[in-house]
C-alpha cells in the first residue's frame, strides 16, 4: 500500500513540475519584453495570398506604374494600375500584361488603367481579403472583366 501511495505522489509531483516548468518559461519571456503592447499594422491582419503579393511586386517594377491593385481569382488576375504622368497608358498596360503572363503562365491577365475600374478592383479586393470568394464575388469579378473588355474595344468603334 505504501508503494502505491509513493508512486501516486511521485506522479503527482512530476505532473506539477511539468506544469510549472511550462508556464515558467512564458512568464520569463513576457517579463523581458516589459509588457509593452506591440504595434500592429492593419495589413498584417488581412491574409495576403502569396501569388497576389508576387504579382503586385512584378507589376510595381514596370516602368510607368505608380500604383497597382491586384486581385487573383483563379484563373483570372485583375490588375488596376495608375500610370505615371507622361507615360503612354496603353504601352504601360501592355508591359504589365506581358510581364505577368510571362512570370505566371496559366492565368488570364486583365489590366486596366481606368480610374473607375481600378476603384472597383480595390473595393472587391478589400471585400475578398482574408476569406474565400463566394458566388457573389465571382460574379463581380466577371462583371469587371467584361468592363475591361468593353473599355479595350471602345476606341475601335
Amino acid at each position: 500500500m505504501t508503494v502505491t501511495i509513493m508512486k501516486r505522489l511521485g506522479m503527482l509531483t512530476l505532473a506539477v513540475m511539468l506544469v510549472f516548468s511550462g508556464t515558467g518559461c512564458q512568464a520569463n519571456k513576457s517579463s523581458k519584453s516589459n509588457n509593452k503592447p506591440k504595434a500592429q499594422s492593419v495589413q498584417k491582419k488581412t491574409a495576403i495570398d502569396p501569388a497576389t503579393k508576387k504579382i503586385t511586386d512584378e507589376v510595381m517594377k514596370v516602368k510607368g506604374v505608380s500604383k497597382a491593385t491586384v486581385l487573383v481569382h483563379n484563373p483570372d488576375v485583375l490588375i488596376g494600375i495608375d500610370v505615371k504622368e507622361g507615360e503612354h497608358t496603353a504601352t504601360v498596360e501592355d508591359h504589365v500584361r506581358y510581364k505577368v503572363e510571362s512570370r505566371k503562365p496559366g492565368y488570364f491577365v486583365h489590366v486596366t488603367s481606368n480610374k473607375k475600374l481600378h476603384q472597383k478592383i480595390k473595393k472587391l479586393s478589400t471585400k475578398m481579403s482574408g476569406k474565400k470568394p463566394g458566388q457573389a464575388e465571382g460574379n463581380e469579378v466577371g462583371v469587371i472583366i467584361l468592363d475591361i473588355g468593353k473599355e479595350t474595344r471602345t476606341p475601335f468603334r
Side-chain angles (χ1 to χ4, degrees):
M1 184 165 186
T2 343
V3 175
T4 37
I5 294 173
M6 292 293 276
K7 283 183 180 178
R8 286 185 182 179
L9 187 58
M11 294 295 275
L12 181 63
T13 305
L14 183 61
V16 169
M17 286 176 39
L18 285 173
V19 169
F20 282 123
S21 67
T23 57
C25 292
Q26 288 293 350
N28 287 341
K29 284 182 182 178
S30 63
S31 65
K32 287 181 182 177
S33 66
N34 296 328
N35 293 329
K36 292 180 183 174
K38 294 180 181 178
Q40 295 180 355
S41 70
V42 177
Q43 193 167 3
K44 286 185 179 179
K45 290 182 181 178
T46 59
I48 297 175
D49 178 35
T52 304
K53 172 112 176 74
K54 285 180 183 177
I55 294 170
T56 304
D57 292 344
E58 290 297 321
V59 170
M60 290 305 296
K61 291 177 187 175
V62 174
K63 182 181 179 249
V65 175
S66 63
K67 290 182 184 176
T69 305
V70 175
L71 175 65
V72 177
H73 184 71
N74 288 336
D76 294 298
V77 179
L78 303 178
I79 304 172
I81 59 172
D82 288 351
V83 178
K84 291 179 182 174
E85 195 169 320
E87 297 287 337
H88 189 260
T89 304
T91 304
V92 175
E93 285 179 358
D94 289 341
H95 286 171
V96 168
R97 185 177 301 101
Y98 173 76
K99 188 160 198 167
V100 174
E101 286 175 343
S102 65
R103 298 274 201 268
K104 295 287 184 183
Y107 285 105
F108 297 106
V109 181
H110 312 277
V111 182
T112 184
S113 59
N114 179 294
K115 300 283 185 203
K116 288 181 181 178
L117 292 177
H118 189 175
Q119 192 61 34
K120 278 185 175 181
I121 295 170
K122 281 182 188 177
K123 280 184 178 180
L124 187 56
S125 176
T126 303
K127 185 177 176 182
M128 290 175 63
S129 65
K131 66 177 185 177
K132 291 186 177 182
Q135 183 67 32
E137 287 82 9
N139 290 342
E140 289 181 58
V141 168
V143 168
I144 294 173
I145 291 170
L146 289 174
D147 288 345
I148 292 173
K150 287 177 190 173
E151 174 194 39
T152 305
R153 288 189 303 269
T154 302
F156 299 109
R157 289 184 180 185

